[in-house]
Amino acid sequence: MTETNISTKGSDWGYAPAPESADHFKLNEQYGLFIGGKFVPAGSGKRFATINPANEKALAQIADAGEKDVDKAVKAARTAYEKVWRKMSGRERGKYLYRIARIIQERARELAVVESMDGGKPIRESRDVDIPLAAAHFFYHAGWADKLGYAFPGKSASPIGVAGQIIPWNFPLLMVAWKVAPALACGNTVVLKPAETTPLTALLFAEICQEAGLPDGVFNCITGAGSTGAALVKHPGLDKVAFTGSTDVGKAIQKSLAGRSTKLTLELGGKAANIIFEDAAIDQAVEGIINGIFFNQGHVCCAGSRLLVQESVEQVVVEKLKARMEHLIVGDPLDKNTDIGAINSKAQCERIRDYLKVGQDEGAELFQTKCPVPEKGYWIRPSFFTKVAQSHRIVQEEIFGPVLAIQSFRTLDEALEKANNTPYGLSGGVWTDKGAKIFKVTRGIKAGVIWANTFNKFDPSSPFGGYKESGYGREGGRHGLRPYVELS
Ligand code: NAI
Ligand code: MG
């Protein structure tokens, strides 16, 4: 670690490196597919490497599943559904979910380190956010397993069948939990496809299912790239597909399922407005802007990627934001001081760099902090654009990186108009001292989640999901159970 990536305005004090160790567990050299309770190689024998984006070194070789493997996994899930899981009482199912939740807690340190190594996120986030929330999600849904009658009063809830679930790389284990916990709690079985750049914690989760004694075939995990995901969606043996990822792939999945009775939920991109009024507590709002766009390198579908700031405080907010950003530490994801880790993949890093260029070509003004970044690996310095117009691509499109677009407004109506001028509708934020304004804004923005005087807060009991091109269906809370049950 270099000591130079620490901004020490006004003092000579910096942070000494505080790396989390990675010697308390050992990754396998290679991982198979998890089908019917066992790890098996891909039929083709093909493998691909998952790398650490902070140093570009391979961490493990991963099996690359083809159509035949997908078929085996769906059949294993079907058998487990018919023979075991759908017949089991909710109370018994709940016991397995509680066990999984507890093992996630027991293996939390290992899971956090692997998550940071495989995907590049700071250890502080994987340790304090991703892994605890994944465990919480299982605890929460374990509680529902024998109480579905209370979730849907007056109705009888039965499972749907086999769910094919495809997840992205920004919150790998947490997305496993969001997808798998409600499906299993409601009596469905699962074939999961993790993202190709971050398969490791999903594979460790498969080990956890073995450790918990989960009946064979209830959870299956097939690894591979987009073609594996497409093969899963195409398989006629699925009763339900759940997808989180890009809007383009979401649309392709919707097309591929057209004309079939397979149920679908989509959690897609976002371009949230984070609105700062002149009466807000400015220093807190600045922290909220930082959290909103730089959390997880900005690889967050609900990121506050558009800042709308009231004109009277624009200058002070931008100055304070610059000063605060200069203190952000970019670097080794395993260092406990790191604020911003590595960009998840080379491809994503290039996509973000393209947007940095597009923004400047469109005439916006780019600000980037001066912090040094390591030579190896994929890095983007914390960035924002000013002088942006509503029509700019950097305002309209999801960048999915540490890049903020700043616009100003004069009146509340103008703020709402700008906030809603987007194809997306996943989240939003409002910062003000006035309760009445909070209500006007939260009612006025068409988005699934809106935070007031905070940002990026998650809880398993709170439903999450979008409007418009951000997708449909909810995850979390009672609403999140609904896509996994048939009601009669
Ligand atoms: P992606 O949508 O291609 O990847 C998400 C998952 O879908 C991965 O598991 C991938 O293997 C799978 N997938 C890809 N093509 C598929 C297909 N045809 N059928 C079924 N599954 C398929 O996202 P990508 O390319 O990694 O990222 C591109 C952009 O997407 C990002 O810059 C970001 O804007 C957005 N994105 C949004 C996410 C969100 O949480 N809303 C998550 C990941 C990406
Ligand atoms: Mg990786």
Side-chain angles (χ1 to χ4, degrees):
M1 270 293 289
T2 52
E3 79 291 350
T4 42
N5 60 355
I6 295 148
S7 170
T8 53
K9 247 186 193 168
S11 91
D12 291 333
W13 293 87
Y15 292 99
E20 170 70 56
S21 71
D23 57 7
H24 46 92
F25 63 90
K26 202 166 163 8
L27 285 173
N28 299 342
E29 274 171 27
Q30 58 188 59
Y31 287 87
L33 311 170
F34 187 67
I35 298 178
K38 287 174 204 62
F39 283 97
V40 295
S44 66
K46 278 196 201 152
R47 294 200 201 95
F48 62 96
T50 186
I51 65 154
N52 179 340
N55 58 22
E56 301 173 49
K57 285 194 189 138
L59 290 165
Q61 293 292 320
I62 308 295
D64 192 357
E67 275 179 31
K68 284 195 182 140
D69 305 302
V70 170
D71 184 54
K72 274 191 203 156
V74 174
K75 285 189 173 135
R78 175 63 57 191
T79 306
Y81 177 68
E82 299 294 349
K83 298 217 162 118
V84 185
W85 201 243
R86 73 179 296 181
K87 294 191 207 154
M88 194 182 277
S89 69
R91 205 180 126 107
E92 286 304 307
R93 285 201 309 270
K95 284 188 196 167
Y96 287 105
L97 295 187
Y98 278 121
R99 245 182 248 167
I100 290 171
R102 284 194 299 266
I103 301 172
I104 291 176
Q105 288 184 322
E106 281 163 18
R107 293 177 66 169
R109 191 163 163 226
E110 170 194 359
L111 290 167
V113 173
V114 174
E115 200 74 305
S116 283
M117 289 170 74
D118 203 13
K121 64 173 66 202
I123 186 72
R124 237 179 36 212
E125 292 178 10
S126 43
R127 183 194 64 194
D128 298 347
V129 182
D130 292 63
I131 311 303
L133 272 178
H137 227 75
F138 275 96
F139 276 118
Y140 175 79
H141 287 91
W144 274 124
D146 63 347
K147 301 176 197 71
L148 294 174
Y150 296 97
F152 307 103
K155 304 255 185 204
S156 160
S158 50
I160 294 176
V162 176
Q165 305 181 319
I166 299 170
I167 55 172
W169 38 263
N170 52 344
F171 293 92
L173 186 69
L174 186 57
M175 288 303 106
V176 171
W178 278 31
K179 293 278 178 289
V180 175
L184 263 47
C186 295
N188 307 277
T189 58
V190 164
V191 179
L192 176 92
K193 200 212 68 79
E196 53 272 39
T197 58
T198 54
L200 288 176
T201 46
L203 292 160
L204 296 184
F205 177 80
E207 289 179 10
I208 289 172
C209 291
Q210 284 181 324
E211 213 179 317
L214 188 72
D216 293 348
V218 171
F219 169 78
N220 305 274
C221 179
I222 47 163
T223 41
S227 55
T228 308
L232 178 60
V233 173
K234 255 201 309 204
H235 197 289
L238 298 181
D239 303 293
K240 152 96 191 152
V241 169
F243 172 76
T244 298
S246 62
T247 297
D248 285 347
V249 173
K251 286 178 181 173
I253 290 176
Q254 203 171 11
K255 271 189 203 146
S256 153
L257 288 179
R260 280 166 57 185
S261 59
T262 315
K263 294 183 164 49
L264 175 64
T265 42
L266 296 172
E267 202 267 87
L268 309 175
K271 191 77 185 177
N274 199 3
I275 304 176
I276 318 287
F277 285 97
E278 61 189 359
D279 56 27
I282 297 295
D283 289 332
Q284 285 168 34
V286 168
E287 284 308 309
I289 299 166
I290 296 277
N291 174 9
I293 187 61
F294 300 124
F295 175 59
N296 199 28
Q297 295 75 245
H299 303 325
V300 182
C301 47
C302 54
S305 49
R306 289 186 293 147
L307 175 64
L308 296 180
V309 54
Q310 198 153 22
E311 203 175 77
S312 48
V313 289
E314 184 186 9
Q315 211 180 339
V316 56
V317 166
V318 170
E319 283 314 311
K320 282 182 184 246
L321 184 61
K322 272 188 189 169
R324 178 66 181 87
M325 279 165 66
E326 290 291 1
H327 286 260
L328 292 174
I329 300 174
V330 181
D332 182 6
L334 285 186
D335 193 307
K336 292 165 203 158
N337 297 317
T338 293
D339 296 304
I340 300 185
I343 298 301
N344 185 268
S345 66
K346 191 166 182 223
Q348 189 60 25
C349 201
E350 281 164 6
R351 207 172 286 140
I352 299 166
R353 290 216 173 102
D354 280 349
Y355 274 111
L356 291 174
K357 188 168 174 313
V358 164
Q360 293 174 88
D361 291 347
E362 283 176 323
E365 201 171 290
L366 175 65
F367 167 81
Q368 284 196 305
T369 65
K370 292 179 281 299
C371 66
V373 297
E375 264 177 34
K376 275 256 168 213
Y378 316 126
W379 313 94
I380 302 275
R381 292 186 177 85
S383 313
F384 68 66
F385 279 108
T386 47
K387 303 204 167 89
V388 298
Q390 191 67 34
S391 57
H392 283 171
R393 282 181 61 199
I394 50 164
V395 172
Q396 289 294 328
E397 298 174 18
E398 183 176 51
I399 298 176
F400 228 59
V403 184
L404 178 70
I406 303 182
Q407 293 173 280
S408 64
F409 67 89
R410 286 186 182 168
T411 65
L412 190 145
D413 286 343
E414 186 191 346
L416 290 181
E417 183 86 27
K418 283 185 166 152
N420 285 326
N421 185 340
T422 167
Y424 294 111
L426 192 57
S427 64
V430 52
W431 297 79
T432 169
D433 202 25
K434 302 276 181 297
K437 260 188 216 167
I438 289 177
F439 287 121
K440 274 193 188 146
V441 171
T442 50
R443 289 206 187 111
I445 298 184
K446 184 107 179 126
V449 186
I450 299 162
W451 289 288
N453 293 328
T454 185
F455 210 92
N456 276 339
K457 286 272 183 293
F458 305 96
D459 189 277
S461 64
S462 174
F464 184 92
Y467 290 99
K468 304 195 276 186
E469 291 199 15
S470 295
Y472 46 79
R474 295 290 178 268
E475 298 187 289
R478 264 193 319 145
H479 303 71
L481 299 171
R482 183 64 191 87
Y484 288 98
V485 291
E486 210 81 71
L487 296 181
S488 53

